[in-house]
């Protein structure tokens, strides 16, 4: 990149491509702030250009959408994801794999915004397009099926969600082999289905298998490993294995701190999980410290009206009540009910 900057003018497409490559590298290492910076700089160069540069605009916009989703900046994520969809549609028409990927990306943002019907509509469009273009037994099809299963789970259709995840995992194993990021993600999703149905031993087995895959193919620490550790911690918490649960949450916190950063929804959820365990142990002051830290991050990242803010306030109310602070519990409950 430095060589290109010295050799070329500031708005040369070669500089934009170098910025994109560097952004991809940072992205793969979960260095999201640095990736965002490079992608935004690339977009400034590419935006006025025509021709195949438009494809790169769509791709970079989509990657920025993914970063903003991970950071909890959901309005920014939706804007970038929709931009990617619009540009791909102008370049490729209404039937293309890139368009299906963009539809899936928009659906994911709607899912994170708890707009489940809109999310499912996008996922269904993406699924139908992928099946037409690449066939039913493809990893892209499996990926969308998992996203659809997550919506079904949130809508209360647990059995249907589990069946869809089992189907998707089979597709992933056939398409990608045993050791792949796709199979690991599928195992995590299936483990979550088991957990929601209180099949905790089965859930933990899937999470452990996924963790082994991730550690083999990514010996360096990354955010995916932390996500799996969080899920394992929640299972241990449900099994009242409190020290094991706290160990998982603490490991996940350290990995997130070094990768995606502390000002993220993921970190807030880890803190909330640790707070729940400390509450179960009767360590009310320590639990309230975790809940308060989680609440502050939630407010800064997604604002005061997000469901996660209400959930954290409810956890704080239960903790305050058990600690004998009934008045404080009522204050938290009232704010939670107003969201």
């Amino acid at each position: 990149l430095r060589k290109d900057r010295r050799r070329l003018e500031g708005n040369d497409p070669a500089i934009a491509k170098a910025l994109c490559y560097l952004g991809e590298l940072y992205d793969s290492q979960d260095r999201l702030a640095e990736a965002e910076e490079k992608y935004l700089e690339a977009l400034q160069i590419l935006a006025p250009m025509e021709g195949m540069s438009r494809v790169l605009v769509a791709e970079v916009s989509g990657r920025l959408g993914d970063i903003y989703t991970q950071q909890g900046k959901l309005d920014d994520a939706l804007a970038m994801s929709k931009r990617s969809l619009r540009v791909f549609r102008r370049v490729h028409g209404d039937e293309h794999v890139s368009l299906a990927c963009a539809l899936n990306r928009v659906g994911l943002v709607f899912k994170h915004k708890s707009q489940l019907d809109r999310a499912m509509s996008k996922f269904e469009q993406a699924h139908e397009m992928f099946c037409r273009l690449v066939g039913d037994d493809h990893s892209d099809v499996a990926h969308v099926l998992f996203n659809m299963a997550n919506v079904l789970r949130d809508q209360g259709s647990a059995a249907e969600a589990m069946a869809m995840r089992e189907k998707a995992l089979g597709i992933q194993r056939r398409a990608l082999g045993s050791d792949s990021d796709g199979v690991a993600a599928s195992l995590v999703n299936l483990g979550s289905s088991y957990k929601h149905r209180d099949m905790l031993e089965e859930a933990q087995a899937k999470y452990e298998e996924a963790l082994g895959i991730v550690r083999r193919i990514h010996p360096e620490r990354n955010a995916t490993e932390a996500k799996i550790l969080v899920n394992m911690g929640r299972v241990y918490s449900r099994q009242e294995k409190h020290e094991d649960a706290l160990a998982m949450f603490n490991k996940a916190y350290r990995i997130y701190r070094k990768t995606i950063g502390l000002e993220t929804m993921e970190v807030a959820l880890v803190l909330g999980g640790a707070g729940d365990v400390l509450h179960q142990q009767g360590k009310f002051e320590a639990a309230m410290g975790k809940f308060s830290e989680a609440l502050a991050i939630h407010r800064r990242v997604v604002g005061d009206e997000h469901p996660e803010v209400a959930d954290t306030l409810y956890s704080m109310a239960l903790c305050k009540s058990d600690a004998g602070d009934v008045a404080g519990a009522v204050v938290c409950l009232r704010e939670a009910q107003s969201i």
Side-chain angles (χ1 to χ4, degrees):
L1 176 60
R2 285 194 295 268
K3 288 180 180 178
D4 284 340
R5 286 192 194 280
R6 288 194 296 266
R7 183 170 56 87
L8 303 168
E9 294 184 9
N11 60 349
D12 192 281
I15 294 177
K17 289 181 180 178
L19 287 163
C20 291
Y21 293 144
L22 190 54
E24 287 176 17
L25 179 61
Y26 286 139
D27 205 350
S28 69
Q29 297 172 340
D30 293 314
R31 296 164 63 179
L32 301 185
E34 292 158 291
E36 177 192 2
E37 178 187 347
K38 300 306 176 188
Y39 286 147
L40 286 172
E41 190 176 350
L43 273 185
Q44 286 183 329
I45 297 172
L46 294 167
M49 298 180 181
E50 297 297 331
M52 290 309 295
S53 294
R54 305 309 298 164
V55 173
L56 200 51
V57 167
E59 291 174 352
V60 173
S61 298
R63 290 170 194 157
L64 278 166
D66 293 340
I67 287 172
Y68 291 142
T69 299
Q70 291 180 70
Q71 293 174 329
K73 301 173 183 176
L74 298 182
D75 289 338
D76 292 335
L78 187 59
M80 281 295 175
S81 298
K82 284 185 172 181
R83 179 183 187 180
S84 177
L85 179 61
R86 286 194 305 271
V87 177
F88 274 133
R89 184 169 275 133
R90 285 199 297 268
V91 173
H92 295 306
D94 293 330
E95 193 84 356
H96 194 274
V97 169
S98 295
L99 193 68
C101 291
L103 285 165
N104 181 62
R105 181 178 284 116
V106 173
L108 278 171
V109 181
F110 281 134
K111 165 68 171 59
H112 279 83
K113 289 171 74 73
S114 299
Q115 298 179 24
L116 300 182
D117 290 339
R118 298 180 76 178
M120 184 61 88
S121 174
K122 297 299 181 187
F123 291 147
E124 287 173 346
Q125 291 176 54
H127 178 257
E128 291 169 5
M129 193 177 296
F130 276 133
C131 287
R132 289 193 299 269
L133 294 171
V134 299
D136 296 345
D137 222 22
H138 192 278
S139 60
D140 287 337
V141 173
H143 185 58
V144 179
L145 285 173
F146 273 115
N147 291 334
M148 294 168 71
N150 288 338
V151 173
L152 289 169
R153 179 202 63 201
D154 291 352
Q155 291 175 328
S157 302
E160 191 177 352
M162 184 177 291
M164 190 171 285
R165 283 175 169 155
E166 292 276 12
K167 177 181 177 181
L169 178 58
I171 294 172
Q172 292 279 43
R173 288 193 193 276
R174 291 190 297 274
L176 302 173
S178 296
D179 272 10
S180 69
D181 287 320
V183 169
S186 299
L187 286 164
V188 170
N189 282 320
L190 188 55
S192 296
S193 283
Y194 283 127
K195 182 179 67 179
H196 278 85
R197 302 194 73 184
D198 290 322
M199 300 167 67
L200 300 182
E201 295 295 335
E202 293 85 348
Q204 202 72 301
K206 297 300 180 187
Y207 292 144
E208 288 172 356
E209 186 179 353
L211 185 63
I213 292 171
V214 169
R215 284 177 170 171
R216 283 194 297 275
I217 61 180
H218 298 292
E220 76 286 357
R221 292 291 182 257
N222 67 18
T224 301
E225 180 179 350
K227 177 183 176 182
I228 298 170
L229 291 170
V230 170
N231 281 302
M232 294 176 71
R234 287 173 178 157
V235 172
Y236 282 135
S237 178
R238 295 263 288 273
Q239 294 172 323
E240 298 186 354
K241 298 178 180 178
H242 298 139
E243 294 305 320
D244 290 334
L246 284 174
M248 296 296 107
F249 290 134
N250 288 335
K251 287 179 183 177
Y253 180 87
R254 290 194 295 270
I255 293 171
Y256 280 143
R257 183 183 61 200
K258 294 177 181 177
T259 56
I260 64 175
L262 295 179
E263 287 292 301
T264 57
M265 289 285 283
E266 286 81 0
V267 168
L269 293 172
V270 169
L271 291 166
D276 287 333
V277 175
L278 292 165
H279 179 192
Q280 292 169 27
Q281 292 179 308
K283 300 176 180 178
F284 302 125
E285 185 176 350
M288 282 304 302
K290 298 293 186 183
F291 290 141
S292 297
E293 195 176 347
L295 181 64
I297 294 173
H298 280 314
R299 291 191 194 279
R300 290 194 294 270
V301 173
V302 294
D304 295 332
E305 302 297 319
H306 194 275
E308 291 293 348
V309 172
D311 287 346
T312 305
L313 286 165
Y314 182 69
S315 295
M316 294 174 73
L318 292 177
C319 190
K320 284 177 179 287
S321 177
D322 289 345
D325 182 6
V326 176
V330 169
V331 171
C332 291
L333 280 175
R334 284 176 175 166
E335 185 179 354
Q337 289 173 341
S338 71
I339 295 174

